[in-house]
């Protein structure tokens, strides 16, 4: 597994970070105050989660006056999508082999 895939998996393994990322995906750009209202944790904790998501390439921030607006970076999921495709091909091949074996056993 590549380092970028590992960072993505680690960052999304936490349910709070997943919820923040999903909120940004579904509702668009938001500031920390809005994210904190829905996260059920403190603002410093939300900021720490955002920093981890940023390091994984899943979130970006842009200054808007004194506030930072955060947005999901869907393209950051590309390494995860690639990994999922690879695993899907692997399991498709294994299940096809199992199907062939079962068909031979039935004959």
């Amino acid at each position: 597994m590549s380092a970028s895939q590992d960072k993505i998996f680690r960052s999304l393994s936490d349910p709070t970070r997943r919820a923040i990322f999903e909120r940004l995906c579904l509702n668009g750009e938001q500031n920390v105050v809005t994210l904190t209202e829905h996260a059920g944790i403190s603002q410093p904790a939300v900021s720490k989660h955002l920093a981890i998501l940023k390091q994984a390439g899943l979130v970006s921030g842009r200054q808007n006056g004194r506030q930072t607006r955060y947005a999901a970076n869907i393209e950051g999921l590309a390494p995860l999508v690639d990994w999922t495709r690879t695993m899907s091909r692997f399991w498709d091949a294994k299940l096809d082999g199992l199907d062939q074996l079962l068909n031979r056993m039935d004959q």
Side-chain angles (χ1 to χ4, degrees):
M1 184 174 296
S2 74
S4 61
Q5 290 168 336
D6 197 38
K7 278 184 181 181
I8 294 168
F9 276 116
R10 263 191 270 123
S11 67
L12 293 176
S13 68
D14 182 276
T16 301
R17 283 193 291 272
R18 252 190 337 271
I20 291 169
F21 181 69
E22 288 172 10
R23 182 159 189 76
L24 291 171
C25 287
L26 298 173
N27 299 324
E29 195 177 75
Q30 296 179 33
N31 63 25
V32 174
V33 173
T34 304
L35 291 169
T36 300
E37 289 171 358
H38 297 282
I41 56 175
S42 68
Q43 184 273 320
V46 169
S47 293
K48 287 180 183 180
H49 285 300
L50 285 167
I52 292 168
L53 290 166
K54 281 176 69 174
Q55 287 175 345
L58 297 174
V59 169
S60 61
R62 86 175 162 81
Q63 284 299 125
N64 184 20
R66 292 183 3 198
Q67 293 185 348
T68 302
R69 307 271 309 163
Y70 293 93
N73 178 18
I74 301 302
E75 296 82 25
L77 289 173
L80 185 61
V81 171
D82 294 342
W83 181 85
T84 303
R85 280 192 192 118
T86 300
M87 291 297 101
S88 179
R89 285 191 300 269
F90 168 80
W91 284 109
D92 285 346
K94 294 293 184 188
L95 292 173
D96 287 346
L98 177 61
D99 188 43
Q100 291 169 7
L101 174 65
L102 293 173
N103 285 335
R104 285 194 310 267
M105 290 173 66
D106 282 344
Q107 295 174 351

